[in-house]
Amino acid sequence: MKPPIMIIILSTIIMGTMMVMISSHWLLIWIGFEMNMLAIIPILMKNSNPRATEASTKYFLTQATASMLLLLGIATNLLLTGHWTMSNILNPIASNTITIALTMKLGLSPFHFWVPEVTQGVPMLPGMILLTWQKIAPLSILYQIAPSTNPNLLIIMAITSVLVGGWGGLNQTQLRKILAYSSISHMGWMTAVLVYNPTMMMLNLLMYITMTLGTFMLFMYNSSTTTLSLSHMWNKLPLATSLVLLLMLSIGGLPPLSGFMPKWMIIQELTKNDLIILPTFLAMTALLNLYFYTRLTYSTALTMFPSPNNMKMKWLFENSKTMTLLSPLIILSTMLLPLTPMMSTLL
């Protein structure tokens, strides 16, 4: 793809997301979602092979269905209220329709089936955009309409998403599918706290994006797509093995790493609202994610496959510019837990 075309497509994606975030008019929000969806499809199809075409088609069909449901909810709200402004949605039918449309765009269970398939079918860079940037617009709308949403619907979706994200990733060997199921699980955690403290959901989103960006960039730097290729990482960059270990355990939510901070704060917030069973269930299902991330750290840092002698010093001749960019992301992904008291006072 030529650079001018790529610049136009990327700026359209950014513009569409920004339009959704700053608009208070339902029609402009819908147009922003459409701009975002239509602009990312050429990026998903950058590698012209049948797998990428299939993934792009699945993404388009799912997002088009979600956009249709969103427009239906907007039209229902318009008929009952007479205005396009995004304020409190009083009608439960309109509220539930809009919520379902946004959760379909996010990939929450039971609308999660497209996320692993699309992420696996596209290259690492489009997969990274799909699991990070594309989550911002729907979550920003859910953040704004949180008081009008049905809490029971959101909590049911959150519980099933955390379950699907944990069980789905257990038997996977493809790194993109593992990260996709991890994304479903993280979206479940965010949706669980959205009902009680929407600002905490945004903090969780920032932490999730930081950790996912660092993980994807580390995998792209090493050209790793499977758990088997992770075991050869020590040949290319010995330092990367310890970085993968830290990042994996952080995404899994193991203390004292940064990934534990949002989980800790969400559990604390839910218990403040007199909920005991829900945070206990979320904490137990988080162990499933931690298990398959621990398995990745085992294949990366604790196994050393035999290799020819000329490969053992290969890392000395590699370009380290990517590692310079990765350093701040890895620091943010692993060392933010001491800031938890300050975050608690802000929220």
Side-chain angles (χ1 to χ4, degrees):
M1 194 178 293
K2 293 181 179 178
I5 298 172
M6 180 61 84
I7 290 169
I8 292 170
I9 289 172
L10 288 175
S11 39
T12 308
I13 291 172
I14 294 167
M15 198 187 306
T17 304
M18 296 304 294
M19 188 184 292
V20 171
M21 291 173 67
I22 65 176
S23 296
S24 59
H25 193 284
W26 275 119
L27 189 60
L28 287 176
I29 290 167
W30 183 80
I31 290 170
F33 274 122
E34 293 303 295
M35 287 172 59
N36 187 288
M37 177 190 73
L38 294 172
I40 200 172
I41 287 172
I43 293 181
L44 299 180
M45 294 182 66
K46 191 177 178 185
N47 290 359
S48 54
N49 55 59
R51 191 70 193 270
T53 307
E54 180 191 346
S56 305
T57 308
K58 285 177 180 174
Y59 180 79
F60 173 75
L61 291 174
T62 311
Q63 297 296 314
T65 307
S67 295
M68 181 188 70
L69 282 173
L70 180 63
L71 199 57
L72 176 64
I74 292 169
T76 308
N77 187 54
L78 176 66
L79 285 172
L80 295 167
T81 60
H83 61 78
W84 288 92
T85 310
M86 186 178 58
S87 56
N88 287 337
I89 307 166
L90 302 176
N91 183 265
I93 297 174
S95 172
N96 289 342
T97 309
I98 290 172
T99 304
I100 288 169
L102 293 171
T103 52
M104 191 182 290
K105 282 185 173 291
L106 275 176
L108 276 173
S109 177
F111 311 110
H112 66 278
F113 298 101
W114 64 271
V115 182
E117 296 300 321
V118 173
T119 312
Q120 180 60 30
V122 298
M124 293 294 271
L125 184 59
M128 182 177 73
I129 296 170
L130 198 66
L131 295 183
T132 53
W133 181 262
Q134 294 299 97
K135 307 293 184 187
I136 296 174
L139 281 173
S140 68
I141 301 300
L142 281 173
Y143 174 83
Q144 293 175 71
I145 66 167
S148 309
T149 52
N150 183 350
N152 295 326
L153 177 66
L154 285 177
I155 286 174
I156 289 169
M157 286 185 172
I159 290 170
T160 53
S161 297
V162 173
L163 264 177
V164 166
W167 285 111
L170 282 179
N171 62 343
Q172 298 297 332
T173 57
Q174 299 290 328
L175 298 179
R176 281 168 290 186
K177 276 197 174 181
I178 288 174
L179 289 169
Y181 280 111
S182 172
S183 171
I184 295 168
S185 179
H186 277 89
M187 292 301 123
W189 279 84
M190 291 180 214
T191 313
V193 80
L194 175 67
V195 182
Y196 304 101
N197 192 339
T199 312
M200 196 169 286
M201 182 269 292
M202 298 306 289
L203 170 69
N204 196 345
L205 176 65
L206 286 174
M207 284 303 308
Y208 161 74
I209 288 176
T210 305
M211 293 185 294
T212 308
L213 281 176
T215 307
F216 263 103
M217 289 178 69
L218 203 54
F219 289 163
M220 283 190 288
Y221 178 69
N222 192 55
S223 305
S224 298
T225 55
T226 62
T227 51
L228 179 64
S229 58
L230 276 183
S231 59
H232 299 289
M233 187 177 281
W234 65 274
N235 290 327
K236 190 168 185 179
L237 190 69
L239 178 63
T241 56
S242 56
L243 297 181
V244 167
L245 186 144
L246 287 173
L247 276 171
M248 293 293 101
L249 295 179
S250 183
I251 293 182
L254 189 75
L257 301 170
S258 299
F260 177 64
M261 179 174 68
K263 288 184 169 58
W264 181 14
M265 295 177 75
I266 287 171
I267 290 171
Q268 188 179 20
E269 183 66 28
L270 292 175
T271 49
K272 280 180 185 175
N273 286 277
D274 298 328
L275 295 170
I276 302 299
I277 297 174
L278 178 60
T280 306
F281 180 80
L282 290 177
M284 289 171 66
T285 49
L287 294 174
L288 296 170
N289 294 77
L290 190 57
Y291 168 74
F292 62 73
Y293 279 126
T294 309
R295 192 181 63 184
L296 287 184
T297 61
Y298 175 77
S299 63
T300 307
L302 302 177
T303 56
M304 187 175 287
F305 278 63
S307 63
N309 288 330
N310 60 355
M311 287 181 64
K312 291 184 177 176
M313 302 298 287
K314 185 180 176 183
W315 61 276
L316 288 175
F317 308 103
E318 293 290 333
N319 190 355
S320 61
K321 286 182 181 177
T322 310
M323 294 308 297
T324 309
L325 183 62
L326 265 172
S327 299
L329 283 174
I330 290 165
I331 290 169
L332 290 173
S333 300
T334 54
M335 300 181 183
L336 286 184
L337 191 65
L339 298 179
T340 306
M342 184 186 75
M343 296 290 183
S344 300
T345 55
L346 290 175
L347 299 174

